[in-house]
Structure formats: structure tokens, C-alpha cells
Amino acid sequence: MSNVETDPVEMRCGEPAVDGRPAVGPGVDVLSARDVPLGGPRAMSVRRTLPQRARTLIGAWCFADHYGPDDVTRTGGMEVPPHPHTGLQTVSWLFSGEVEHRDSLGSHAFIRPGEMNLMTGGYGIAHSEVSTPRTTILHGVQLWVALPKEHRNAERDFQHHVPEPVRIDGAAIRVFLGSLAGAASPVRTFTPLLGAEITLEPGAAITLAVDTTFEHGLLVDSGQVRVAGTPLRPAELGYVRPGIDTLALENTSDGPARTILLGGTPFEEEIVMWWNFIGRTHEDIVQAREDWEASSDRFGVVEGYPGNRLHAPVLPNATIKPRGNPPRSQLRPKGTS
């Protein structure tokens, strides 16, 4: 699901997290989510953990929305008309439900639990997302990846991947981007990345070999999980800095625990995020918005959606500033709390 807030403000990169908790284990920061209503009397709300003041990106991952489980008879499900993107890749992953995707590249695909859709919208792309009539409970994550400067105008692309689960020590791991636990995804990205669903049986504990150059974020969907000794509650994200070669996870709850593990090499560039656009300057965002409102060929046309496209919100009456992660000098040294 894309960002369909009716009054977006720089993705709130510069505001503190709601109910944030300090780190209580070595080298792990706990980022709490904030609830974001997407507008409309029956529209869904999401729990957003990226971006926020404490952390704008994890690797090139710059946006993480976690939604559901939602009864679509109550919320109306997902109904996102054609809308634009620039400067990013969107990654969709479901726990339950089914979503129909159409884009201006001509792609028409469905996504179901355990499957990934990745769409590249560098210079410009448009797409729609609609939960199907077969959906009763909608539950999943929507993630964005920032494109590096040299690829920020990449051509439109769409990839669909169904990873086979890897089972080790009471855990099922589905690697949809990058490599982990002996599994590797064939999906193309523009920076080194890791994306995986990890489900842990009650009481299960695993230690995973990870790339020492990566920073990692573990988002908890259900259950109580410890990452590197730090407890995480549902909807919290534990951030682990680079420099480790193993990552320990433990399910401390009585039922299964489901998590999403994200990782990548630190993304050193500053970015501007507003609505569904990523750029490097305020002027990039202004131009993208103007092009979309003018029905420019930049974004193309989504064929087959039975309705009108979304209009862009009004820009804020202020310059949208580039943001990156806090300077490393401001980060706590590894091993301190």
C-alpha cells in the first residue's frame, strides 16, 4: 500500500517517535510505531516505523508501514487508485489477504501471503492497489527502498517473487531480497539489501550469520521477540548497527512470533520524501507533483482500473528539507545503553 495520507508532511522524518523506548541491550535501538490514518470514513490506518526522527533509513529502506489484521467488511480493505512514484522501489509483502496490482508499465499481478511484489519507479511510474473480493482479513507490510543518486531516474520495472521457506531450529525464513540462511533472492536491487520474513515457534532461538557491513532492523508483527538480547513488542522495530557477524533472535512468547528482518549497507545520501515522491531537493518534489497533476507522460497511464486517479495533496507552505540519518558522531557507541 502506498502513502495516501491526505496531508503528508515530509514523511515526518524530523519528528520524534511516539512512545519511543530507549535501548536496553547492547547496540540495539527500539523504534516505536505511530498510527497514521489514511483518510476516509472506512479507510485503513497503518503503523509507521520508518521514517522518524531517530532514524530515516535502515540501509536504503526508507519507509515501513505495517497494517492489519483488518476485517475488510469493517475497514473497506485496500482501494488505492492510480498514483505516482519517483526515486524509489516499492516492496509489498502480505501475511493474509490478496491484492491486485496494475501499473503504467503494463503489469497486472496479484500478491498473496508469502509472495513479494517489487516495483521500480525511478524517473516515474504509476500504479493502483486493490484488495480482492476473496479477501476477508488484510494484513501485511508496505516498504520503500530509496534509489541511490546514480539510479534515481531508473526505468520502470516490476518483479514478482515467491521465496521457498528455509527451516532451521524452529524457525521458518522466507528471503524475498538479498541472502540469508543459505537462501538467496534473484530480485534485482540497486544497493545491497536484505528482506526476509522470519517466523519463530514458541520458545525458539536462532543465531543467524549476517553481513558485517549491514545495519539491520527487526520489525515484530506478532509475539514477543528478543533481538541481540533486547525485547521487542509487536509493532516495534529493533535497530542494530553495522559491525556484527551474527544476529540472535528468540521468541519469548507462548505462541508463534512473526517478524520482518530488513538490512543493508548504510545509505549515506540525504533524501527528500513527500507524499509518494523521493528526490534530493524541494524542487524535485515540486516538479514531480506538477508533472503528475498535468498528466505528464513521465508517469504513464494505468490501464484497467475502474475509476479516477488520485490527485496530489497541496504542498506545504515551506521548503521541504533533505534528511538523512543522524551523524554517526551522535550515535551511541556500540555496546552502550
Side-chain angles (χ1 to χ4, degrees):
M1 180 168 45
S2 298
N3 184 38
V4 291
E5 286 181 277
T6 56
D7 189 22
V9 287
E10 301 179 54
M11 300 297 183
R12 302 188 189 274
C13 297
E15 296 191 6
V18 177
D19 190 30
R21 293 197 290 123
V24 294
V28 179
D29 298 322
V30 180
L31 306 179
S32 298
R34 66 182 183 90
D35 291 334
V36 178
L38 297 183
R42 298 178 66 223
M44 295 171 56
S45 64
V46 299
R47 299 174 292 280
R48 185 165 297 164
T49 48
L50 284 179
Q52 54 180 272
R53 182 177 182 179
R55 181 139 301 273
T56 302
L57 304 103
I58 296 176
W61 298 101
C62 61
F63 181 90
D65 273 0
H66 175 209
Y67 57 91
D70 285 333
D71 180 349
V72 300
T73 63
R74 180 179 58 83
T75 66
M78 184 183 296
E79 179 71 40
V80 186
H83 59 280
H85 286 290
T86 62
L88 56 77
Q89 293 181 300
T90 64
V91 177
S92 301
W93 183 263
L94 288 180
F95 303 133
S96 64
E98 182 183 62
V99 172
E100 182 178 22
H101 165 98
R102 298 177 185 270
D103 64 40
S104 55
L105 184 66
S107 310
H108 179 209
F110 293 85
I111 180 173
R112 303 173 182 90
E115 304 178 0
M116 185 200 68
N117 281 354
L118 182 145
M119 184 185 72
T120 300
Y123 182 64
I125 197 169
H127 72 139
S128 63
E129 300 158 288
V130 180
S131 53
T132 67
R134 292 186 289 270
T135 298
T136 55
I137 301 296
L138 191 60
H139 188 190
V141 292
Q142 175 70 39
L143 311 163
W144 291 0
V145 177
L147 295 177
K149 184 177 181 179
E150 62 269 29
H151 297 295
R152 56 188 292 242
N153 290 324
E155 294 183 358
R156 301 169 190 164
D157 191 27
F158 178 82
Q159 300 171 75
H160 179 85
H161 178 52
V162 184
E164 291 292 331
V166 174
R167 303 187 186 278
I168 56 170
D169 300 330
I173 302 172
R174 289 176 169 83
V175 180
F176 50 84
L177 286 180
S179 61
L180 184 71
S185 168
V187 176
R188 302 178 302 278
T189 61
F190 292 87
T191 55
L193 290 175
L194 169 63
E197 177 188 296
I198 303 175
T199 303
L200 299 159
E201 296 176 2
I206 60 173
T207 299
L208 299 168
V210 294
D211 190 322
T212 59
T213 67
F214 277 26
E215 52 190 357
H216 293 87
L218 186 77
L219 174 64
V220 176
D221 172 60
S222 60
Q224 305 281 336
V225 177
R226 287 184 179 273
V227 55
T230 297
L232 298 176
R233 302 176 297 214
E236 290 184 331
L237 186 149
Y239 168 74
V240 184
R241 290 180 289 282
I244 62 168
D245 57 9
T246 61
L247 190 64
L249 307 181
E250 180 185 3
N251 178 9
T252 60
S253 51
D254 295 333
R258 183 163 50 200
T259 68
I260 294 290
L261 179 62
L262 306 175
T265 53
F267 194 84
E268 303 294 349
E269 302 175 33
E270 291 190 332
I271 59 176
V272 175
M273 298 177 66
W274 181 83
W275 196 44
N276 292 300
F277 304 131
I278 292 181
R280 295 302 185 275
T281 66
H282 175 85
E283 290 71 27
D284 288 344
I285 303 301
V286 171
Q287 187 62 59
R289 183 187 182 279
E290 289 180 356
D291 290 345
W292 174 249
E293 290 298 286
S295 300
S296 163
D297 290 341
R298 175 177 183 176
F299 296 102
V301 176
V302 178
E303 300 288 353
Y305 177 81
N308 297 322
R309 64 183 200 151
L310 281 180
H311 283 287
V314 176
L315 282 163
N317 189 27
T319 299
I320 305 173
K321 298 178 181 179
R323 299 187 183 275
N325 285 323
R328 294 190 181 189
S329 61
Q330 295 181 14
L331 295 175
R332 295 181 296 104
K334 185 180 177 184
T336 65
S337 59

